[in-house]
Amino acid sequence: MRVAVAGLGYWGPNLARNFDALAELAWICDADDGVLERSRGRFPRARATTDFDELLADDALDAVVVATPVPTHAELALRALEAGKHVLVEKPPAMTAAEIDELVALAADRDLVLMPGHLLLYHPGVQKLKELVGSGELGEVLCVYGNRQNLGIIRPDENALWSLGVHDLSVILYLLEEEPSEAIALGRDFLQPGVEDVVFCYLRFPSGKIAHMHLSWLDPHKMRKLTVVGTEKMVVFDDMELERKVTVYEKSPWLRAETYGEWQTRTGDIHIPKVATDEPLRLECERFLALVGGDGDRGQVARDGALVVRVLERLTESLRGR
Ligand SMILES: NC(=O)c1ccc[n+]([C@@H]2O[C@H](COP(=O)([O-])OP(=O)(O)OC[C@H]3O[C@@H](n4cnc5c(N)ncnc54)[C@H](O)[C@@H]3O)[C@@H](O)[C@H]2O)c1
């Protein structure tokens, strides 16, 4: 499989490294000459260009990976799909629901893969969460909340919701498999007008489950944490932990029959399941290549990506008071 990677700033080289190992990295592309020059030595077998159209014109190219700044994603992904290429586009794949809907429809029409780079979905720790939720081990899930805080990176083009929240939201929607009926966000743009640095989100789902996200790049704590509260057990995925990525707490509410409706709590063992240490990005790239190769449901990844953008758009409308 011949793959091109466009955008070789901070993140793109990680994608290029993986595709160089897993497939044929046929092209590297960056609009900035200096950036491209830096990558040339690292990927000597790939052809290098500053012109995105040059790689699209290569008939033998199967797939394009878009790792450019967020405002360019939808347009570059659209051009790649129109050129008949499968697309892996970094998160968020588009900045409006209308843009992502157009991409999803085009990919379906041409039977091409459109996969958003929702890295966390491929994290073995998140896979473990999904397994615990899916098996019913947690009982009924009541609520999920994410903490994604740190001091920096302060982004100029996207706010904390689009830059950080996209990760937690993709996981929350993946775990709960529902579209929220309510989506409320509150926040403030302290540093740059119109770019919210601190955002709090509330989601309510048709089943009655609720979710919350605290997103901030103005925070003393570096937190990358998701907590799932079930009626039988509670589980924490903490990506800052090296060995204890997932912790399962046998803690739950308990209604004692003999006390006529009085709630008590129960605390049991704390369990740390083994979580594989595979690089999530490698797993994401493998999944993309498998989809391109015809393995798995191409339409589903595209539709899941569209749902994330749709909810981000609704949260943005709430944040801006519309
Ligand atoms: N999944 C993750 O965990 C993760 C982590 C970091 C970044 N990202 C995503 O990766 C993307 C890139 O982020 P970054 O931090 O590497 O940004 P960056 O600004 O460091 O790099 C972007 C590069 O794209 C190039 N570029 C811009 N327009 C181009 C065009 N039309 N054609 C070719 N090249 C073009 C720029 O010259 C720049 O070198 C963003 O979407 C970001 O959200 C994802």
Side-chain angles (χ1 to χ4, degrees):
M1 226 152 318
R2 299 182 78 240
V3 181
V5 174
L8 296 157
Y10 160 66
W11 192 244
N14 293 321
L15 287 152
R17 165 175 55 79
N18 274 294
F19 283 110
D20 198 28
L22 297 169
E24 182 185 339
L25 181 68
W27 290 89
I28 51 171
C29 169
D30 199 289
D32 184 319
D33 254 332
V35 173
L36 188 64
E37 212 42 56
R38 259 200 340 252
S39 288
R40 253 183 220 276
R42 217 169 142 198
F43 306 107
R45 287 175 303 201
R47 293 174 68 184
T49 181
T50 54
D51 180 4
F52 191 66
D53 285 322
E54 196 184 344
L55 60 91
L56 294 187
D58 178 354
D59 287 336
L61 183 69
D62 299 295
V64 174
V65 178
V66 178
T68 54
V70 176
T72 65
H73 286 179
E75 190 218 323
L76 296 183
L78 186 74
R79 279 162 62 195
L81 290 170
E82 280 171 347
K85 312 300 182 197
H86 301 284
V87 174
L88 169 59
V89 53
E90 257 313 323
K91 52 86 202 165
M95 294 185 77
T96 66
E99 283 173 347
I100 189 73
D101 287 347
E102 187 184 2
L103 294 176
V104 172
L106 183 60
D109 190 46
R110 307 263 173 112
D111 193 22
L112 292 167
V113 176
L114 171 70
M115 181 172 137
H118 291 312
L119 181 67
L120 264 189
L121 299 185
Y122 305 93
H123 194 303
V126 170
Q127 288 299 321
K128 179 56 77 178
L129 278 188
K130 180 74 178 166
E131 193 186 307
L132 288 163
V133 169
S135 69
E137 194 179 325
L138 307 182
E140 188 198 337
V141 171
L142 302 176
C143 66
V144 184
Y145 64 91
N147 297 91
R148 195 160 292 268
Q149 296 133 248
N150 195 11
L151 187 61
I153 305 169
I154 299 160
R155 299 256 177 198
D157 294 329
E158 334 135 44
N159 62 11
L161 172 62
W162 286 79
S163 177
L164 307 172
V166 62
H167 289 295
D168 302 281
L169 186 60
S170 66
V171 177
I172 289 169
L173 297 174
Y174 173 61
L175 292 179
L176 301 186
E177 296 182 4
E178 285 185 85
E179 181 157 358
S181 43
E182 269 181 77
I184 296 169
L186 298 167
R188 270 294 317 270
D189 51 347
F190 293 108
L191 306 181
Q192 306 164 92
V195 184
E196 287 82 359
D197 316 280
V198 183
V199 180
F200 303 98
C201 302
Y202 168 80
L203 300 168
R204 188 185 164 103
F205 294 85
S207 63
K209 295 178 177 57
I210 58 171
H212 163 81
M213 297 187 283
H214 179 181
L215 312 161
S216 173
W217 54 54
L218 290 184
D219 205 279
H221 307 284
K222 179 155 186 177
M223 291 177 82
R224 299 278 179 265
K225 206 187 268 196
L226 267 157
T227 304
V228 183
V229 175
T231 49
E232 300 292 325
K233 292 183 186 176
M234 304 179 184
V235 55
V236 177
F237 164 61
D238 188 344
D239 211 6
M240 296 307 297
E241 289 281 349
L242 283 179
E243 289 185 325
R244 301 172 181 197
K245 292 275 180 200
V246 174
T247 308
V248 184
Y249 296 85
E250 287 188 13
K251 288 180 180 233
S252 64
W254 180 42
L255 196 56
R256 275 178 63 185
E258 62 270 27
T259 56
Y260 301 103
E262 186 186 324
W263 283 98
Q264 301 206 335
T265 54
R266 190 163 51 98
T267 303
D269 289 342
I270 296 172
H271 173 57
I272 298 165
K274 182 173 163 46
V275 169
T277 53
D278 302 309
E279 185 193 8
L281 188 60
R282 166 72 62 121
L283 298 172
E284 178 189 306
C285 296
E286 282 174 354
R287 171 88 167 123
F288 176 64
L289 291 171
L291 286 170
V292 171
D295 192 6
D297 187 345
R298 322 184 144 175
Q300 193 62 47
V301 282
R303 288 191 297 276
D304 288 349
L307 177 58
V308 173
V309 175
R310 217 158 46 235
V311 178
L312 283 173
E313 191 176 72
R314 286 172 60 194
L315 287 167
T316 303
E317 284 169 7
S318 165
L319 187 61
R320 304 272 156 83
R322 270 181 269 133

